[in-house]
Amino acid sequence: MADEWHGALHHVRAGQLTGQTGQTAGMTRLEAVSGKTVGSSKIWMGQTHVAPGTSSGDHHHGEAETAIYVVSGRPVFVFAEAGSEVRIETEPGDYVFVPPFAPHREENPGAEEAVVVIARSSQEGIVVNLPGLWPGRAG
């Protein structure tokens, strides 16, 4: 029972996810748990769908830490390190951690849709689209 010390649980059904969040080209982000949907104050959670043969634009998630769980497909996560592009190839069951302000993109080179569940340390789904992975230069 909810009272001043114990909040009520919220149930968000799969069909209730909303796409009213920051979007990046090549991806569809669906919001499940957020300040807008359930009144959370410290966490955002949802899922992202990447169509076969596509990739997101380069982006980061501001000050939020991001944890990703691969549900289906074999998405690839791309980021820059020491002037080189690094690719993390994943499969269902894998997890990826993205630190705050880390430029990256998701790719789906496979023939099936890739679906991932995302949790962020912010109540909202922050998406900052970028011209490239390297600050100050495109590409």
Side-chain angles (χ1 to χ4, degrees), residues 48-104:
T48 301
H49 296 248
V50 184
T54 65
S55 70
S56 73
D58 297 326
H59 62 280
H60 69 72
H61 302 291
E63 63 189 24
E65 293 182 328
T66 303
I68 301 165
Y69 173 74
V70 179
V71 175
S72 63
R74 295 183 178 273
V76 176
F77 297 85
V78 183
F79 65 100
E81 185 175 63
S84 296
E85 201 172 88
V86 177
R87 300 174 63 78
I88 299 173
E89 297 183 7
T90 66
E91 58 188 44
D94 288 356
Y95 292 83
V96 175
F97 173 71
V98 181
F101 299 103
H104 64 282

Side-chain angles (χ1 to χ4, degrees), residues 10-132:
H10 294 268
H11 179 193
V12 180
R13 295 187 180 277
Q16 295 175 309
L17 277 62
T18 174
Q20 296 178 347
T21 183
Q23 299 293 331
T24 302
M27 305 174 72
T28 301
R29 288 191 183 88
L30 301 173
E31 185 173 43
V33 174
S34 71
K36 290 184 288 188
T37 61
V38 300
S40 64
S41 63
K42 297 181 182 175
I43 192 167
W44 182 97
M45 192 170 191
Q47 59 180 239
T48 301
H49 296 248
V50 184
T54 65
S55 70
S56 73
D58 297 326
H59 62 280
H60 69 72
H61 302 291
E63 63 189 24
E65 293 182 328
T66 303
I68 301 165
Y69 173 74
V70 179
V71 175
S72 63
R74 295 183 178 273
V76 176
F77 297 85
V78 183
F79 65 100
E81 185 175 63
S84 296
E85 201 172 88
V86 177
R87 300 174 63 78
I88 299 173
E89 297 183 7
T90 66
E91 58 188 44
D94 288 356
Y95 292 83
V96 175
F97 173 71
V98 181
F101 299 103
H104 64 282
R105 73 175 170 267
E106 292 88 12
E107 298 179 352
N108 182 8
E112 67 175 290
E113 177 181 67
V115 178
V116 299
V117 171
I118 296 175
R120 290 204 194 105
S121 63
S122 164
Q123 72 171 7
E124 302 306 326
I126 301 166
V127 178
V128 179
N129 293 311
L130 301 169

